[in-house]
C-alpha cells in the first residue's frame, strides 16, 4: 500500500492539494493508498487519518511530504519499509526572524529533518529541479526525481464569487494587477507595492493592485505593509484581501490584467501556473524556482529595480503583440504541467520502486 | 522566453517616463508591540466570525 504522510492536511494549501492529487491518481489506477497526518482538517477527515493510528507494514511504500519541521520525520526513520520524501522546499528561517519566532524554529527543524533523512530514505522526489538540486547539495545519494505539483485544471472551472466581480469589475476602465500568495516576508509584497507605486504614478493612474492572501502568522509583516501603503498614499488603490475562499480567488484571477511576482523564495509557485490557466501575462523576479516554473512563459526580470519593472508592466499591458506571444508561450508551459503528464511520471516512478503496482504506460 | 522575444520587449520598454524617487525604505518601518497585539486580537475575532459564516 502507498502511504502518504504529512504534518498537516488542510483545505486549500499547495502541499495538501498535491497529496490529495496523488491519492486521486492512485485511486484512479486502482492502487491501494492512504493519507496520514499530524493534523487533519475536519472537512477531510474521511480521506485522511491521524498519524498515531498508522501501523507500519513491511510491504508499505511511505512517501513523506516535507515542507516544514515536525516530529513525524523521526518516525519515518523507524519504518521498516521502502520510504521516501517528496520535498516541497522549506522557506529559509531568516525570512521569519523578525516576524514569527515559532515559525523560525519550525523552519530550522525542517532543515535539520531534511539533513537527517538524507541517508534514511530510499528515494526522493522534488517539485522542481531547484528543489532537487538542494537535495543533492545536502548529500542525498538516493535517486532523486522531479515530480511537479499536481494541478487538476478542471477544479478551476467553477463560478467566480459574484460579489467580488460586482465590486471590482469596471469593464476594463481600471487596470488590475494581482499577486496571489500568503502575506509573508519571503514573498516580498513590499517590492510589489514599490513597483505598483511607480506604475500608477508614471504610467497608469487608473490602476489597482490586489494582494490576495492570508496574513495569519505574519501580522507584524502585514502591518508594516499597510504602513508602507499609507505612506505612499495608495490606500484606495491597493487591496489586501486577507483569507479568501476558492471561488473568490477565481474572481480575482478573472479580474486581473497582469500577475506581478517579486518573491525571493519559491519551491515551485502554484499561482504562476494558475495565472497561465487564466491567461494572465506574468512579470516576475527571477529567483529560486520561479524561472523554472515559468519556463518560456511570461517575462522574467533579473534585478529589483521598481522603475524598470513598472516600465515592463506597462509594456506588457499595452503591447498586444507582446501579450499575444506571452499568452502562447504560457499555454505551452501549462500543457507541460497538466495532470495527465504528471500522472504518467508518477505511476512510472511508483512502479520502479519495486513493482508496487501493476500499471504500465 | 526566446532571445528574439526578449529583444522585442527590451526595445519596447519606455523607461524614460519613470523617475527614481527617495521612497520610504521598508526596513525603517516599525510596528509597535501594542499595534501588533491589538491587530492579533482583531484577526482572531475576524477569523471566528468568518468560520461561523462558512
Amino acid at each position: 500500500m502507498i502511504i502518504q504522510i504529512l504534518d498537516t492536511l488542510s483545505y486549500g494549501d499547495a502541499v495538501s492539494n498535491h497529496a490529495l492529487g496523488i491519492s486521486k491518481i492512485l485511486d484512479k489506477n486502482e492502487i491501494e493508498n492512504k493519507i496520514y497526518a499530524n493534523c487533519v482538517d475536519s472537512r477531510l477527515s474521511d480521506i485522511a487519518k491521524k498519524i498515531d493510528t498508522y501501523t507500519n507494514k513491511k510491504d508499505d511504500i511511505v512517501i513523506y511530504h516535507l515542507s516544514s519541521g515536525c516530529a513525524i520525520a523521526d518516525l519515518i526513520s523507524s519504518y521498516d519499509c521502502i520510504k521516501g520524501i517528496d520535498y516541497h522546499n522549506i522557506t529559509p528561517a531568516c525570512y521569519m526572524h523578525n516576524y514569527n519566532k515559532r515559525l523560525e524554529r519550525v523552519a530550522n527543524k525542517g532543515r535539520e529533518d531534511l539533513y537527517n533523512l538524507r541517508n534514511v530514505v530510499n528515494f526522493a522526489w522534488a517539485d522542481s529541479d531547484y528543489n532537487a538540486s538542494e537535495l543533492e547539495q545536502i548529500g542525498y545519494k538516493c535517486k532523486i526525481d522531479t515530480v511537479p505539483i499536481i494541478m487538476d485544471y478542471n477544479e478551476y472551472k467553477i463560478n467566480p464569487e459574484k460579489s467580488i466581480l460586482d465590486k471590482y469589475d469596471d469593464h476594463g476602465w481600471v487596470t488590475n494587477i494581482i499577486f496571489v500568495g500568503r502575506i509573508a516576508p519571503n514573498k516580498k509584497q513590499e517590492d510589489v507595492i514599490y513597483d505598483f507605486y511607480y506604475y500608477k504614478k508614471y504610467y497608469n493612474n487608473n490602476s489597482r493592485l490586489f494582494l490576495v492572501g492570508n496574513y495569519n502568522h505574519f501580522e507584524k509583516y502585514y502591518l508594516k505593509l499597510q504602513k508602507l501603503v499609507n505612506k505612499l498614499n495608495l490606500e484606495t488603490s491597493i487591496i489586501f484581501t486577507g483569507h479568501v475562499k476558492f471561488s473568490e480567488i477565481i474572481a480575482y484571477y478573472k479580474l486581473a490584467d497582469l500577475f506581478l511576482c517579486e518573491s525571493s523564495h519559491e519551491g515551485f509557485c502554484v499561482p504562476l501556473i494558475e495565472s497561465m490557466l487564466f491567461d494572465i501575462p506574468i512579470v516576475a523576479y527571477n529567483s529560486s524556482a520561479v524561472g523554472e516554473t515559468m519556463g518560456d512563459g511570461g517575462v522574467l526580470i533579473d534585478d529589483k529595480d521598481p522603475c524598470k519593472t513598472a516600465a515592463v508592466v506597462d509594456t506588457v499591458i499595452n503591447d498586444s503583440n507582446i501579450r499575444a506571444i506571452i499568452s502562447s508561450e504560457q499555454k505551452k508551459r501549462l500543457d507541460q504541467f497538466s495532470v495527465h503528464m504528471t500522472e504518467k511520471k508518477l505511476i512510472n516512478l511508483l512502479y520502479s520502486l519495486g513493482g508496487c503496482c501493476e500499471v504500465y504506460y | 522566453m526566446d532571445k528574439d522575444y526578449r529583444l522585442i520587449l527590451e526595445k519596447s520598454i519606455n523607461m524614460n517616463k519613470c523617475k527614481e524617487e527617495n521612497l520610504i525604505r521598508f526596513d525603517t518601518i516599525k510596528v509597535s508591540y501594542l499595534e501588533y497585539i491589538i491587530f492579533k486580537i482583531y484577526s482572531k475575532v475576524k477569523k471566528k466570525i468568518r468560520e461561523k459564516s462558512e
Side-chain angles (χ1 to χ4, degrees):
Chain A
M1 189 185 300
I2 308 289
I3 305 293
Q4 292 190 80
I5 296 176
L6 61 165
D7 182 32
T8 305
L9 188 76
S10 56
Y11 209 77
D13 84 274
V15 176
S16 298
N17 283 348
H18 181 64
L20 293 168
I22 290 178
S23 181
K24 264 189 198 170
I25 288 173
L26 297 176
D27 287 344
K28 187 181 149 200
N29 288 279
E30 295 175 351
I31 300 168
E32 237 189 320
N33 71 95
K34 276 184 178 163
I35 300 177
Y36 291 92
N38 244 341
C39 308
V40 180
D41 187 301
S42 55
R43 288 167 288 185
L44 298 166
S45 55
D46 290 345
I47 300 168
K49 300 279 169 263
K50 295 276 275 181
I51 186 68
D52 47 19
T53 63
Y54 171 57
T55 312
N56 180 241
K57 295 186 188 78
K58 245 187 171 170
D59 295 340
D60 288 345
I61 292 179
V62 166
I63 304 165
Y64 173 46
H65 294 273
L66 205 160
S67 59
S68 65
C70 79
I72 289 179
D74 307 324
L75 274 178
I76 302 291
S77 312
S78 68
Y79 294 158
D80 183 22
C81 66
I82 294 176
K83 49 196 176 274
I85 60 162
D86 193 348
Y87 180 48
H88 305 287
N89 217 305
I90 300 159
T91 305
C94 59
Y95 287 109
M96 290 120 182
H97 182 68
N98 291 322
Y99 301 104
N100 193 318
K101 295 283 176 212
R102 188 185 67 80
L103 287 185
E104 185 185 6
R105 282 196 298 276
V106 170
N108 280 326
K109 164 86 169 90
R111 292 277 163 188
E112 274 171 38
D113 292 346
L114 189 66
Y115 181 77
N116 293 337
L117 287 170
R118 75 198 185 286
N119 294 321
V120 172
V121 292
N122 309 97
F123 66 95
W125 296 348
D127 300 328
S128 56
D129 292 345
Y130 171 79
N131 291 359
S133 71
E134 268 192 16
L135 295 178
E136 278 169 24
Q137 281 166 26
I138 290 164
Y140 277 69
K141 297 277 184 278
C142 62
K143 192 169 175 283
I144 302 169
D145 289 283
T146 300
V147 180
I149 286 275
I150 292 167
M151 290 183 67
D152 186 351
Y153 301 153
N154 287 322
E155 288 176 4
Y156 291 83
K157 290 177 185 165
I158 62 159
N159 288 331
E161 187 70 31
K162 197 175 170 299
S163 60
I164 303 289
L165 295 181
D166 289 345
K167 193 171 177 186
Y168 297 113
D169 194 0
D170 30 42
H171 308 288
W173 174 245
V174 179
T175 300
N176 292 316
I177 295 171
I178 189 175
F179 174 71
V180 178
R182 71 196 165 101
I183 303 288
N186 63 300
K187 306 274 180 190
K188 292 280 170 197
Q189 275 95 347
E190 69 267 34
D191 291 337
V192 180
I193 291 170
Y194 285 123
D195 296 340
F196 178 72
Y197 170 84
Y198 283 104
Y199 174 70
K200 186 174 173 68
K201 182 164 181 183
Y202 293 100
Y203 294 93
N204 182 359
N205 193 37
N206 280 329
S207 50
R208 192 191 279 135
L209 172 65
F210 291 115
L211 292 172
V212 182
N214 192 356
Y215 48 73
N216 203 10
H217 303 305
F218 289 106
E219 289 83 359
K220 215 169 164 184
Y221 177 64
Y222 171 67
L223 286 171
K224 271 182 82 164
L225 291 174
Q226 274 200 332
K227 283 190 172 183
L228 177 67
V229 168
N230 292 343
K231 284 181 194 290
L232 297 175
N233 292 320
L234 292 170
E235 300 95 320
T236 54
S237 311
I238 297 185
I239 291 113
F240 291 93
T241 68
H243 172 87
V244 282
K245 291 187 289 185
F246 190 55
S247 61
E248 290 174 322
I249 297 181
I250 304 292
Y252 286 112
Y253 276 125
K254 292 265 182 196
L255 290 165
D257 295 294
L258 183 133
F259 186 91
L260 180 57
C261 175
E262 284 281 8
S263 186
S264 288
H265 184 267
E266 297 289 344
F268 184 81
C269 199
V270 168
L272 294 174
I273 305 299
E274 291 174 339
S275 298
M276 293 179 192
L277 192 58
F278 288 94
D279 201 18
I280 304 163
I282 301 165
V283 173
Y285 173 59
N286 189 8
S287 78
S288 49
V290 169
E292 182 190 337
T293 301
M294 279 172 61
D296 286 338
V299 180
L300 273 179
I301 297 181
D302 289 323
D303 46 24
K304 287 230 172 191
D305 175 352
C307 283
K308 184 182 173 184
T309 306
V312 172
V313 167
D314 178 61
T315 308
V316 171
I317 285 174
N318 286 322
D319 191 322
S320 55
N321 290 332
I322 286 174
R323 233 178 27 252
I325 302 171
I326 291 175
S327 173
S328 140
E329 293 293 339
Q330 288 188 172
K331 280 193 179 95
K332 283 184 212 162
R333 190 64 180 147
L334 202 56
D335 290 341
Q336 290 161 4
F337 286 118
S338 71
V339 71
H340 177 68
M341 298 290 274
T342 314
E343 177 176 347
K344 244 180 175 178
K345 188 164 190 178
L346 188 82
I347 297 297
N348 278 334
L349 282 174
L350 285 173
Y351 183 69
S352 71
L353 290 173
C356 63
C357 48
E358 293 174 355
V359 179
Y360 300 87
Y361 277 89
Chain B
M1 195 78 47
D2 62 53
K3 278 179 188 163
D4 292 341
Y5 170 68
R6 280 184 185 272
L7 277 176
I8 298 168
L9 183 71
E10 288 285 333
K11 279 181 190 166
S12 310
I13 295 171
N14 181 2
M15 289 286 292
N16 300 331
K17 275 191 184 179
C18 211
K19 270 186 273 169
E20 208 168 313
E21 298 178 30
N22 283 325
L23 298 176
I24 174 103
R25 274 175 44 204
F26 191 65
D27 54 6
T28 62
I29 298 173
K30 301 282 175 230
V31 174
S32 72
Y33 188 65
L34 186 66
E35 282 176 301
Y36 171 69
I37 290 297
I38 291 170
F39 188 75
K40 263 281 214 194
I41 296 165
Y42 162 77
S43 301
K44 272 188 185 166
V45 173
K46 212 173 152 190
K47 194 178 169 199
K48 278 198 175 157
I49 294 169
R50 193 184 64 230
E51 279 170 358
K52 272 189 180 172
S53 71
E54 278 176 14

